Amino acid sequence: MIRENIKKWHDHIKGEFPGGLDELLADDVIFYSPIVFSPQNGKELTTLYLMAAGNTFGGDKAKDGTLEGSSFKYTKEILEGNQAMLEFETQIDGKYINGVDIITFNESGKISEFKVMIRPLQAVQIIHEQMQKMLTQYKNNEQI
């Protein structure tokens, strides 16, 4: 079951999952950001953060799961039970970023928890700056 569920996530990243985040996320999903201390609760906030993250990493989605014009790519995958850990690498403004997405699915196959962890410190700092810009822009435009 976890392989089917994580395939949906990869399809979404490639722009090939028709329902997008609305279909993937449980209503009561919890998002843990590397830049915000408290968990973000609910589909609306999680969608906001994931959309901002996608735009922060930039580029257009390519068929192989990378972002065209971006160096973002998943490099490792661990699947067990109802959880997945996907390691990624990218660069922003010439700074190397390494991190993991830890994704938990509920019994309905929807994402119930999404946690992002990033290293090194300079990566956290640049993501913080970029995400704040994106989140402010989304909130001002109310694009969710």
Side-chain angles (χ1 to χ4, degrees):
M1 182 83 141
I2 186 63
R3 291 190 190 287
E4 294 169 21
N5 290 333
I6 208 63
K7 182 183 180 318
K8 293 176 190 176
W9 174 254
H10 286 301
D11 288 347
H12 168 69
I13 294 295
K14 294 183 234 176
E16 298 176 354
F17 190 71
L21 291 174
D22 189 52
E23 181 69 27
L24 284 170
L25 300 175
D27 290 336
D28 60 349
V29 63
I30 301 171
F31 181 77
Y32 296 91
S33 168
I35 61 168
V36 179
F37 177 73
S38 60
Q40 304 301 300
N41 296 305
K43 187 187 281 191
E44 187 174 329
L45 276 176
T46 300
T47 298
L48 178 69
Y49 274 84
L50 290 174
M51 287 173 51
N55 286 321
T56 296
F57 290 126
D60 297 317
K61 293 173 184 171
K63 297 293 181 196
D64 63 359
T66 63
L67 295 174
E68 292 178 17
S70 168
S71 61
F72 180 89
K73 64 181 175 182
Y74 283 116
T75 58
K76 295 178 187 170
E77 189 173 273
I78 300 170
L79 306 175
E80 179 68 35
N82 66 336
Q83 295 183 314
M85 186 172 64
L86 308 175
E87 183 175 3
F88 62 85
E89 293 180 344
T90 192
Q91 286 193 16
I92 296 178
D93 296 338
K95 305 284 189 214
Y96 173 75
I97 298 169
N98 174 236
V100 293
D101 292 335
I102 303 169
I103 306 170
T104 303
F105 292 87
N106 65 19
E107 62 282 343
S108 301
K110 300 224 182 217
I111 296 172
S112 59
E113 184 178 287
F114 200 110
K115 184 182 295 183
V116 181
M117 302 182 82
I118 294 177
R119 61 166 294 280
L121 179 58
Q122 70 180 4
V124 175
Q125 292 167 333
I126 196 165
I127 292 294
H128 181 261
E129 292 169 14
Q130 298 288 326
M131 287 284 291
Q132 282 212 299
K133 288 179 193 173
M134 283 291 149
L135 289 169
T136 299
Q137 185 178 13
Y138 278 128
K139 287 178 183 176
N140 288 342
N141 294 331
E142 298 182 274
Q143 295 183 0
I144 61 168

